[in-house]
Short mmCIF file of all heavy atoms in Angstrom, two decimals:
data_model
loop_
_atom_site.label_atom_id
_atom_site.label_comp_id
_atom_site.label_asym_id
_atom_site.label_seq_id
_atom_site.Cartn_x
_atom_site.Cartn_y
_atom_site.Cartn_z
N THR A 638 13.26 2.09 4.80
CA THR A 638 14.62 2.20 4.33
C THR A 638 15.04 1.05 3.40
O THR A 638 15.65 1.20 2.32
CB THR A 638 15.66 2.33 5.47
OG1 THR A 638 15.16 3.24 6.44
CG2 THR A 638 16.95 2.88 4.99
N VAL A 639 14.71 -0.20 3.94
CA VAL A 639 15.03 -1.39 3.27
C VAL A 639 14.26 -1.51 1.94
O VAL A 639 14.79 -1.71 0.87
CB VAL A 639 14.87 -2.57 4.12
CG1 VAL A 639 15.18 -3.86 3.35
CG2 VAL A 639 15.85 -2.50 5.36
N SER A 640 13.06 -1.27 2.12
CA SER A 640 12.11 -1.40 0.96
C SER A 640 12.53 -0.46 -0.24
O SER A 640 12.59 -0.94 -1.38
CB SER A 640 10.66 -1.02 1.34
OG SER A 640 9.75 -0.91 0.23
N GLN A 641 12.70 0.79 0.10
CA GLN A 641 13.13 1.65 -1.02
C GLN A 641 14.60 1.59 -1.37
O GLN A 641 14.87 1.87 -2.59
CB GLN A 641 12.78 3.14 -0.63
CG GLN A 641 11.37 3.36 -0.45
CD GLN A 641 10.98 4.80 -0.37
OE1 GLN A 641 11.63 5.67 -0.86
NE2 GLN A 641 9.77 5.09 0.15
N SER A 642 15.39 1.18 -0.65
CA SER A 642 16.94 1.04 -0.94
C SER A 642 17.01 -0.15 -1.84
O SER A 642 17.90 -0.07 -2.75
CB SER A 642 17.81 0.85 0.28
OG SER A 642 17.78 2.03 1.10
N PHE A 643 16.17 -1.22 -1.73
CA PHE A 643 16.50 -2.32 -2.58
C PHE A 643 15.30 -2.78 -3.45
O PHE A 643 15.20 -3.85 -3.97
CB PHE A 643 16.89 -3.51 -1.67
CG PHE A 643 18.01 -3.14 -0.77
CD1 PHE A 643 17.92 -3.04 0.61
CD2 PHE A 643 19.28 -2.95 -1.37
CE1 PHE A 643 18.96 -2.69 1.44
CE2 PHE A 643 20.34 -2.65 -0.61
CZ PHE A 643 20.24 -2.53 0.75
N ASN A 644 14.33 -1.75 -3.49
CA ASN A 644 13.08 -2.01 -4.38
C ASN A 644 12.40 -3.22 -4.04
O ASN A 644 12.15 -4.08 -5.08
CB ASN A 644 13.66 -1.86 -5.87
CG ASN A 644 12.58 -1.63 -6.83
OD1 ASN A 644 11.49 -1.13 -6.58
ND2 ASN A 644 12.64 -2.28 -8.05
N ILE A 645 12.06 -3.52 -2.80
CA ILE A 645 11.26 -4.58 -2.50
C ILE A 645 9.95 -4.18 -1.83
O ILE A 645 10.02 -3.28 -0.88
CB ILE A 645 12.06 -5.36 -1.35
CG1 ILE A 645 13.21 -6.07 -2.01
CG2 ILE A 645 11.21 -6.55 -0.84
CD1 ILE A 645 14.20 -6.73 -1.10
N PRO A 646 8.83 -4.55 -2.19
CA PRO A 646 7.59 -4.13 -1.50
C PRO A 646 7.68 -4.29 0.02
O PRO A 646 8.25 -5.32 0.46
CB PRO A 646 6.46 -4.89 -2.12
CG PRO A 646 7.07 -5.36 -3.48
CD PRO A 646 8.52 -5.55 -3.25
N GLU A 647 7.07 -3.35 0.72
CA GLU A 647 7.17 -3.37 2.15
C GLU A 647 6.74 -4.67 2.67
O GLU A 647 7.33 -5.29 3.70
CB GLU A 647 6.46 -2.23 2.82
CG GLU A 647 7.12 -0.86 2.57
CD GLU A 647 6.36 0.22 3.06
OE1 GLU A 647 5.77 0.25 4.22
OE2 GLU A 647 6.11 1.24 2.44
N GLU A 648 5.60 -5.06 2.21
CA GLU A 648 4.94 -6.37 2.91
C GLU A 648 5.83 -7.67 2.53
O GLU A 648 5.56 -8.59 3.14
CB GLU A 648 3.59 -6.50 2.28
CG GLU A 648 3.33 -6.57 0.76
CD GLU A 648 3.37 -5.35 0.14
OE1 GLU A 648 3.59 -4.32 0.67
OE2 GLU A 648 2.79 -5.36 -1.11
N GLN A 649 6.89 -7.51 1.67
CA GLN A 649 7.65 -8.67 1.36
C GLN A 649 9.03 -8.53 1.98
O GLN A 649 9.96 -9.42 1.78
CB GLN A 649 7.74 -8.76 -0.20
CG GLN A 649 6.51 -9.03 -0.83
CD GLN A 649 6.66 -9.20 -2.32
OE1 GLN A 649 7.74 -9.50 -2.91
NE2 GLN A 649 5.54 -8.85 -3.13
N VAL A 650 9.33 -7.43 2.75
CA VAL A 650 10.68 -7.24 3.21
C VAL A 650 11.06 -8.33 4.19
O VAL A 650 12.23 -8.82 4.01
CB VAL A 650 10.82 -5.83 3.93
CG1 VAL A 650 12.02 -5.77 4.76
CG2 VAL A 650 10.75 -4.70 2.98
N GLY A 651 10.21 -8.80 5.09
CA GLY A 651 10.65 -9.88 5.94
C GLY A 651 10.86 -11.23 5.31
O GLY A 651 11.87 -11.86 5.54
N ALA A 652 9.93 -11.60 4.32
CA ALA A 652 10.13 -12.83 3.59
C ALA A 652 11.26 -12.95 2.73
O ALA A 652 11.81 -13.94 2.43
CB ALA A 652 8.84 -13.07 2.83
N ARG A 653 11.77 -11.73 2.22
CA ARG A 653 12.84 -11.75 1.29
C ARG A 653 14.14 -11.27 1.81
O ARG A 653 14.97 -10.74 1.20
CB ARG A 653 12.42 -10.90 0.02
CG ARG A 653 11.16 -11.49 -0.70
CD ARG A 653 10.58 -10.51 -1.65
NE ARG A 653 11.56 -10.02 -2.69
CZ ARG A 653 11.23 -9.34 -3.80
NH1 ARG A 653 10.04 -8.87 -3.94
NH2 ARG A 653 12.18 -8.99 -4.67
N ALA A 654 14.24 -11.50 3.13
CA ALA A 654 15.58 -11.03 3.78
C ALA A 654 16.80 -11.44 3.17
O ALA A 654 17.79 -10.79 3.07
CB ALA A 654 15.47 -11.30 5.24
N ALA A 655 16.83 -12.66 2.66
CA ALA A 655 17.99 -13.09 2.01
C ALA A 655 18.51 -12.33 0.83
O ALA A 655 19.66 -12.38 0.53
CB ALA A 655 17.83 -14.72 1.59
N GLU A 656 17.53 -11.60 0.16
CA GLU A 656 17.91 -10.83 -0.97
C GLU A 656 18.66 -9.58 -0.56
O GLU A 656 19.42 -8.95 -1.41
CB GLU A 656 16.66 -10.49 -1.78
CG GLU A 656 15.98 -11.69 -2.36
CD GLU A 656 14.65 -11.35 -3.14
OE1 GLU A 656 14.73 -10.29 -3.67
OE2 GLU A 656 13.75 -12.16 -3.10
N TRP A 657 18.27 -9.01 0.65
CA TRP A 657 18.80 -7.69 0.92
C TRP A 657 19.79 -7.59 2.04
O TRP A 657 20.43 -6.61 2.24
CB TRP A 657 17.66 -6.71 1.11
CG TRP A 657 16.68 -7.09 2.19
CD1 TRP A 657 15.47 -7.71 1.88
CD2 TRP A 657 16.71 -7.00 3.63
NE1 TRP A 657 14.81 -7.91 3.23
CE2 TRP A 657 15.62 -7.55 4.16
CE3 TRP A 657 17.87 -6.47 4.45
CZ2 TRP A 657 15.46 -7.52 5.57
CZ3 TRP A 657 17.63 -6.40 5.81
CH2 TRP A 657 16.42 -6.98 6.36
N SER A 658 19.81 -8.70 2.93
CA SER A 658 20.57 -8.65 4.09
C SER A 658 22.02 -8.18 3.92
O SER A 658 22.59 -7.28 4.59
CB SER A 658 20.47 -9.95 4.97
OG SER A 658 21.20 -9.85 6.01
N ASP A 659 22.70 -9.02 3.00
CA ASP A 659 24.11 -8.62 2.75
C ASP A 659 24.31 -7.25 2.07
O ASP A 659 25.36 -6.53 2.37
CB ASP A 659 24.69 -9.81 1.89
CG ASP A 659 24.88 -11.19 2.53
OD1 ASP A 659 24.88 -11.05 3.88
OD2 ASP A 659 24.99 -12.13 1.93
N LYS A 660 23.35 -6.96 1.18
CA LYS A 660 23.48 -5.67 0.49
C LYS A 660 23.36 -4.46 1.47
O LYS A 660 24.06 -3.56 1.40
CB LYS A 660 22.36 -5.49 -0.58
CG LYS A 660 22.44 -6.55 -1.71
CD LYS A 660 21.27 -6.33 -2.60
CE LYS A 660 21.34 -7.32 -3.75
NZ LYS A 660 20.17 -7.25 -4.66
N LEU A 661 22.46 -4.76 2.41
CA LEU A 661 22.24 -3.56 3.52
C LEU A 661 23.62 -3.50 4.39
O LEU A 661 23.98 -2.36 4.60
CB LEU A 661 21.14 -3.94 4.35
CG LEU A 661 20.76 -3.04 5.54
CD1 LEU A 661 20.57 -1.62 5.10
CD2 LEU A 661 19.82 -3.54 6.48
N ALA A 662 24.09 -4.64 4.74
CA ALA A 662 25.38 -4.71 5.54
C ALA A 662 26.49 -3.90 4.72
O ALA A 662 27.27 -3.14 5.29
CB ALA A 662 25.81 -6.02 5.84
N ASP A 663 26.68 -4.31 3.39
CA ASP A 663 27.71 -3.70 2.53
C ASP A 663 27.51 -2.13 2.43
O ASP A 663 28.39 -1.37 2.64
CB ASP A 663 27.65 -4.18 1.16
CG ASP A 663 28.17 -5.64 1.21
OD1 ASP A 663 28.78 -6.14 2.13
OD2 ASP A 663 27.88 -6.34 0.21
N GLN A 664 26.23 -1.68 2.28
CA GLN A 664 25.99 -0.20 2.16
C GLN A 664 26.32 0.49 3.46
O GLN A 664 26.93 1.53 3.44
CB GLN A 664 24.45 -0.01 1.72
CG GLN A 664 24.29 -0.25 0.28
CD GLN A 664 23.10 0.42 -0.26
OE1 GLN A 664 22.48 1.36 0.44
NE2 GLN A 664 22.67 0.18 -1.50
N LEU A 665 25.90 -0.03 4.64
CA LEU A 665 26.06 0.56 5.91
C LEU A 665 27.55 0.56 6.17
O LEU A 665 28.01 1.58 6.91
CB LEU A 665 25.36 -0.03 7.00
CG LEU A 665 23.85 0.61 7.26
CD1 LEU A 665 24.18 2.04 7.82
CD2 LEU A 665 23.05 0.72 6.12
N ARG A 666 28.32 -0.46 5.82
CA ARG A 666 29.65 -0.55 6.07
C ARG A 666 30.40 0.52 5.33
O ARG A 666 31.22 1.29 5.88
CB ARG A 666 30.25 -1.88 5.68
CG ARG A 666 31.70 -2.10 6.14
CD ARG A 666 32.23 -3.52 5.64
NE ARG A 666 31.44 -4.61 6.36
CZ ARG A 666 30.63 -5.52 5.64
NH1 ARG A 666 30.44 -5.33 4.35
NH2 ARG A 666 29.93 -6.40 6.24
N ARG A 667 30.04 0.84 4.02
CA ARG A 667 30.62 1.95 3.32
C ARG A 667 30.22 3.22 3.75
O ARG A 667 31.26 4.17 3.88
CB ARG A 667 30.10 1.75 1.77
CG ARG A 667 30.84 0.58 1.10
CD ARG A 667 30.59 0.71 -0.42
NE ARG A 667 29.24 0.67 -0.83
CZ ARG A 667 28.67 -0.31 -1.16
NH1 ARG A 667 29.26 -1.58 -1.16
NH2 ARG A 667 27.34 -0.38 -1.49
N PHE A 668 29.01 3.38 4.23
CA PHE A 668 28.53 4.61 4.89
C PHE A 668 29.41 4.95 6.10
O PHE A 668 29.87 6.07 6.20
CB PHE A 668 27.07 4.49 5.30
CG PHE A 668 26.32 5.72 5.56
CD1 PHE A 668 26.92 6.87 5.47
CD2 PHE A 668 25.07 5.59 6.09
CE1 PHE A 668 26.32 8.08 5.84
CE2 PHE A 668 24.36 6.75 6.46
CZ PHE A 668 24.91 8.05 6.17
N ARG A 669 29.61 3.86 6.95
CA ARG A 669 30.42 4.17 8.11
C ARG A 669 31.95 4.51 7.83
O ARG A 669 32.47 5.43 8.34
CB ARG A 669 30.39 2.93 8.97
CG ARG A 669 31.29 2.87 10.24
CD ARG A 669 31.70 1.52 10.60
NE ARG A 669 32.45 0.85 9.63
CZ ARG A 669 32.85 -0.35 9.67
NH1 ARG A 669 32.31 -1.21 10.73
NH2 ARG A 669 33.46 -0.96 8.74
N ASP A 670 32.43 3.78 6.81
CA ASP A 670 33.87 4.06 6.37
C ASP A 670 34.03 5.44 5.90
O ASP A 670 35.02 6.11 6.18
CB ASP A 670 34.24 2.97 5.44
CG ASP A 670 34.38 1.61 5.99
OD1 ASP A 670 34.39 1.42 7.28
OD2 ASP A 670 34.57 0.61 5.20
N ASP A 671 33.06 5.92 5.04
CA ASP A 671 33.16 7.24 4.55
C ASP A 671 33.12 8.28 5.63
O ASP A 671 34.00 9.26 5.70
CB ASP A 671 31.97 7.54 3.62
CG ASP A 671 32.11 6.76 2.20
OD1 ASP A 671 33.10 6.31 1.98
OD2 ASP A 671 30.96 6.70 1.62
N LEU A 672 32.44 8.11 6.54
CA LEU A 672 32.37 8.88 7.89
C LEU A 672 33.62 8.90 8.66
O LEU A 672 34.16 9.87 9.09
CB LEU A 672 31.15 8.82 8.59
CG LEU A 672 29.76 9.00 7.97
CD1 LEU A 672 28.53 8.58 8.88
CD2 LEU A 672 29.59 10.63 7.68
N GLN A 673 34.08 7.71 8.85
CA GLN A 673 35.26 7.56 9.81
C GLN A 673 36.48 8.23 9.06
O GLN A 673 37.40 8.56 9.85
CB GLN A 673 35.56 5.95 9.85
CG GLN A 673 34.63 5.38 10.94
CD GLN A 673 35.06 3.89 11.16
OE1 GLN A 673 35.77 3.25 10.36
NE2 GLN A 673 34.47 3.33 12.27
N GLN A 674 36.66 8.24 7.76
CA GLN A 674 37.68 9.00 7.13
C GLN A 674 37.68 10.43 7.59
O GLN A 674 38.77 11.07 7.54
CB GLN A 674 37.63 8.78 5.70
CG GLN A 674 37.89 7.39 5.08
CD GLN A 674 37.81 7.28 3.63
OE1 GLN A 674 37.60 8.35 2.93
NE2 GLN A 674 37.73 6.06 3.09
N LYS A 675 36.55 11.01 7.96
CA LYS A 675 36.56 12.35 8.44
C LYS A 675 36.45 12.55 9.92
O LYS A 675 36.34 13.59 10.46
CB LYS A 675 35.30 13.04 7.68
CG LYS A 675 35.31 13.02 6.25
CD LYS A 675 34.01 13.57 5.73
CE LYS A 675 33.87 13.50 4.23
NZ LYS A 675 33.74 12.24 3.73
N GLY A 676 36.67 11.35 10.55
CA GLY A 676 36.54 11.33 12.05
C GLY A 676 35.21 11.57 12.66
O GLY A 676 35.07 12.08 13.72
N ILE A 677 34.15 11.14 11.83
CA ILE A 677 32.83 11.31 12.31
C ILE A 677 32.22 9.99 12.60
O ILE A 677 32.17 9.10 11.76
CB ILE A 677 31.90 11.93 11.11
CG1 ILE A 677 32.54 13.24 10.76
CG2 ILE A 677 30.58 12.04 11.59
CD1 ILE A 677 32.05 14.01 9.56
N PRO A 678 31.71 9.83 13.88
CA PRO A 678 31.19 8.41 14.23
C PRO A 678 29.73 8.35 13.76
O PRO A 678 28.96 9.39 13.53
CB PRO A 678 31.12 8.57 15.77
CG PRO A 678 31.06 10.02 16.07
CD PRO A 678 31.93 10.61 14.99
N LEU A 679 29.36 7.04 13.57
CA LEU A 679 27.97 6.69 13.02
C LEU A 679 27.31 5.84 14.06
O LEU A 679 27.77 4.86 14.35
CB LEU A 679 28.05 6.04 11.72
CG LEU A 679 26.76 5.38 11.05
CD1 LEU A 679 25.81 6.56 10.81
CD2 LEU A 679 27.01 4.55 9.92
N ILE A 680 26.04 6.19 14.37
CA ILE A 680 25.12 5.40 15.16
C ILE A 680 23.91 5.15 14.36
O ILE A 680 23.23 6.00 13.85
CB ILE A 680 24.83 6.11 16.56
CG1 ILE A 680 26.11 6.40 17.37
CG2 ILE A 680 23.76 5.32 17.33
CD1 ILE A 680 25.81 7.18 18.49
N VAL A 681 23.51 3.88 14.38
CA VAL A 681 22.41 3.43 13.57
C VAL A 681 21.26 3.10 14.54
O VAL A 681 21.47 2.23 15.35
CB VAL A 681 22.61 2.34 12.63
CG1 VAL A 681 21.32 1.89 11.84
CG2 VAL A 681 23.70 2.69 11.59
N VAL A 682 20.02 3.71 14.39
CA VAL A 682 18.95 3.45 15.24
C VAL A 682 17.90 2.58 14.42
O VAL A 682 17.57 2.88 13.34
CB VAL A 682 18.16 4.77 15.69
CG1 VAL A 682 16.97 4.54 16.42
CG2 VAL A 682 19.12 5.67 16.55
N THR A 683 17.36 1.55 15.00
CA THR A 683 16.26 0.79 14.40
C THR A 683 15.16 0.65 15.24
O THR A 683 15.24 0.68 16.60
CB THR A 683 16.80 -0.63 14.09
OG1 THR A 683 16.96 -1.39 15.26
CG2 THR A 683 18.16 -0.62 13.34
N HIS A 684 13.88 0.53 14.71
CA HIS A 684 12.66 0.50 15.49
C HIS A 684 11.63 -0.14 14.59
O HIS A 684 11.73 -0.19 13.33
CB HIS A 684 12.22 1.91 15.86
CG HIS A 684 12.15 2.82 14.61
ND1 HIS A 684 11.07 2.87 13.82
CD2 HIS A 684 12.89 3.85 14.26
CE1 HIS A 684 11.13 3.73 12.90
NE2 HIS A 684 12.36 4.36 13.11
N PRO A 685 10.49 -0.61 15.08
CA PRO A 685 9.48 -1.26 14.41
C PRO A 685 8.48 -0.31 13.78
O PRO A 685 8.54 0.84 14.17
CB PRO A 685 8.67 -2.12 15.41
CG PRO A 685 8.91 -1.32 16.69
CD PRO A 685 10.31 -0.71 16.70
N MET A 686 7.79 -0.80 12.81
CA MET A 686 6.68 0.01 12.21
C MET A 686 5.43 -0.49 13.16
O MET A 686 5.53 -1.61 13.91
CB MET A 686 6.37 -0.55 10.90
CG MET A 686 7.50 -0.19 9.82
SD MET A 686 7.66 1.55 9.50
CE MET A 686 6.33 1.68 8.33
N PRO A 687 4.42 0.20 13.17
CA PRO A 687 3.20 -0.12 14.09
C PRO A 687 2.63 -1.47 13.96
O PRO A 687 2.46 -2.25 14.93
CB PRO A 687 2.15 0.92 13.80
CG PRO A 687 2.51 1.54 12.52
CD PRO A 687 3.97 1.44 12.43
N TYR A 688 2.60 -1.99 12.69
CA TYR A 688 1.94 -3.29 12.39
C TYR A 688 2.93 -4.35 12.56
O TYR A 688 2.73 -5.52 12.36
CB TYR A 688 1.36 -3.25 10.91
CG TYR A 688 2.18 -2.63 9.90
CD1 TYR A 688 3.26 -3.26 9.30
CD2 TYR A 688 1.86 -1.30 9.57
CE1 TYR A 688 4.02 -2.63 8.38
CE2 TYR A 688 2.75 -0.69 8.62
CZ TYR A 688 3.77 -1.26 7.97
OH TYR A 688 4.52 -0.68 7.05
N GLN A 689 4.20 -4.03 12.87
CA GLN A 689 5.20 -5.10 13.22
C GLN A 689 5.31 -5.33 14.74
O GLN A 689 6.00 -6.03 15.20
CB GLN A 689 6.63 -4.71 12.68
CG GLN A 689 6.60 -4.74 11.25
CD GLN A 689 7.84 -3.89 10.73
OE1 GLN A 689 8.57 -3.20 11.50
NE2 GLN A 689 8.10 -4.05 9.36
N LEU A 690 4.50 -4.34 15.48
CA LEU A 690 4.70 -4.37 16.97
C LEU A 690 3.38 -4.92 17.53
O LEU A 690 3.37 -5.94 18.43
CB LEU A 690 4.74 -2.87 17.47
CG LEU A 690 4.87 -2.65 18.84
CD1 LEU A 690 6.16 -3.38 19.48
CD2 LEU A 690 4.94 -1.24 19.32
N SER A 691 2.23 -4.50 17.14
CA SER A 691 1.04 -5.01 17.65
C SER A 691 -0.19 -4.46 16.88
O SER A 691 -0.07 -3.45 16.29
CB SER A 691 0.83 -4.34 19.03
OG SER A 691 -0.55 -4.58 19.60
N PRO A 692 -1.23 -5.32 16.81
CA PRO A 692 -2.41 -4.92 15.96
C PRO A 692 -3.14 -3.73 16.54
O PRO A 692 -3.98 -2.96 15.95
CB PRO A 692 -3.31 -6.12 15.89
CG PRO A 692 -2.93 -6.97 17.08
CD PRO A 692 -1.41 -6.70 17.09
#
Side-chain angles (χ1 to χ4, degrees):
T638 314
V639 174
S640 172
Q641 294 196 18
S642 292
F643 306 110
N644 196 28
I645 297 174
E647 289 176 42
E648 60 272 16
Q649 299 178 24
V650 166
R653 296 170 60 178
E656 297 180 32
W657 56 260
S658 180
D659 289 342
K660 296 177 183 177
L661 177 62
D663 289 342
Q664 284 204 6
L665 265 297
R666 190 180 297 113
R667 287 195 297 270
F668 193 5
R669 178 204 60 192
D670 292 346
D671 288 341
L672 293 171
Q673 280 185 344
Q674 290 178 9
K675 303 178 181 69
I677 299 168
L679 171 67
I680 296 172
V681 178
V682 173
T683 69
H684 56 78
M686 302 285 283
Y688 41 81
Q689 294 161 353
L690 182 64
S691 165

